[in-house]
Amino acid sequence: MRRPAVAGKPAIAGKLLVVVLATVILAACTPSGQAGQAGQGGADDGGASGSGGTVTVFAAASLKSPFTQLAKQFEAANPGTRVTLNFAGSADLATQIFQGAPADVFASADNRNMGKLLDEGLVEDEPRDFATNTLTIAVPPGNPAGIYAFHDLEKPGTKVVVCASQVPCGAAIRNIAEETGTSLTPVSEETSVTDVLGKVTSGEADAGLVYVTDAQGAGGKVESVPFPEAAQAVNSYPIATVKGARNKAAAQAFRELVLGSGGQAVLGAAGFGAPQP
């Protein structure tokens, strides 16, 4: 007489095996963006960082508009994650990081300041260029001082404001002045390009040298006077995760957002050029 119980065990084991195999197959077919609760978006909007918490981004002042937009996009794609932005001149930001400021991501307006952090071992991953920018002359509406070329900035009595030479926009201005033999006598040197723009929009200057993106972002508050010599000093913008980042996963996800097609679209709309090959 056969024992029914013995015949039933293989049947139960077989059913369990089918369930396990089905679960494995379904898991393999699930998109990674749907696997976690923290990231509901795709790679283009920085979703699926899976970390939550706060990610602190130190970014060049000229990136204020597009990075503010990208931060909102990142937070929407990663519920529970907050992006804290710190905008200033790249040299000031690099100094803050040297002094131990809690940055997770650094986005510089030049490779020189990024290189300083790299040399000191303060960068987690290899910096990657994500945008380019060039200078233009910003003047008040109507251009009352009659500035139409770079050499016009030499005219006696013209109140010109520029970036200080230690910040990227200032270094670019110095290169152009040397290449063209132009002697500038600015009434003020600022530590960030946004401060230069502020001097022009407030009526304190006849002209200021700013990035194309700053003039575009100012709307009707200034007019832009392009000059061909600007092509001699194109600034590249690198981004990297800072060594010892408190929220490394979110930092790297934000970096990928900036480098990806979603980030590039936002930067392009703000007037930034694509990174140079």
Side-chain angles (χ1 to χ4, degrees):
M1 184 176 181
R2 294 181 179 178
R3 299 178 180 178
V6 175
K9 285 183 179 178
I12 293 173
K15 290 179 181 179
L16 288 174
L17 179 61
V18 170
V19 171
V20 170
L21 288 174
T23 302
V24 171
I25 292 171
L26 286 172
C29 295
T30 302
S32 58
Q34 298 174 11
Q37 295 180 350
Q40 300 301 316
D44 283 352
D45 57 15
S49 74
S51 61
T54 298
V55 57
T56 302
V57 179
F58 281 28
S62 51
L63 293 167
K64 185 173 184 178
S65 176
F67 267 42
T68 299
Q69 183 176 341
L70 289 173
K72 293 177 180 176
Q73 185 175 320
F74 188 83
E75 289 176 343
N78 295 280
T81 302
R82 181 187 176 197
V83 180
T84 298
L85 297 167
N86 178 26
F87 296 109
S90 298
D92 287 344
L93 294 173
T95 299
Q96 291 175 29
I97 295 171
F98 273 123
Q99 295 174 345
D104 295 313
V105 177
F106 179 45
S108 175
D110 69 350
N111 284 296
R112 185 178 62 166
N113 284 293
M114 181 64 80
K116 292 178 182 176
L117 267 62
L118 194 60
D119 291 343
E120 295 297 324
L122 295 176
V123 174
E124 178 71 26
D125 40 32
E126 185 68 23
R128 289 182 57 188
D129 291 347
F130 63 92
T132 54
N133 214 348
T134 55
L135 294 171
T136 189
I137 303 171
V139 298
N143 194 2
I147 306 297
Y148 302 104
F150 190 72
H151 282 290
D152 288 340
L153 300 176
E154 291 181 301
K155 291 192 300 186
T158 302
K159 293 185 292 184
V160 180
V161 178
V162 300
C163 293
S165 59
Q166 64 266 30
V167 295
C169 57
I173 293 167
R174 184 180 58 192
N175 290 340
I176 295 171
E178 290 176 354
E179 289 291 330
T180 60
T182 304
S183 179
L184 299 178
T185 53
V187 295
S188 177
E189 294 185 357
E190 306 296 329
T191 57
S192 76
V193 69
T194 50
D195 289 341
V196 175
L197 186 66
K199 293 283 186 179
V200 179
T201 58
S202 65
E204 298 178 62
D206 297 319
L209 284 161
V210 301
Y211 291 121
V212 169
T213 52
D214 296 293
Q216 178 177 320
K221 295 180 180 178
V222 299
E223 292 180 7
S224 178
V225 180
F227 58 102
E229 295 91 341
Q232 299 176 17
V234 178
N235 275 26
S236 290
Y237 286 59
I239 188 170
T241 306
V242 177
K243 191 77 172 182
R246 294 176 303 174
N247 197 340
K248 185 177 176 180
Q252 292 180 332
F254 187 85
R255 175 177 178 268
E256 293 306 312
L257 167 64
V258 173
L259 292 167
S261 59
Q264 292 297 296
V266 171
L267 288 159
F272 286 89
Q276 295 179 331

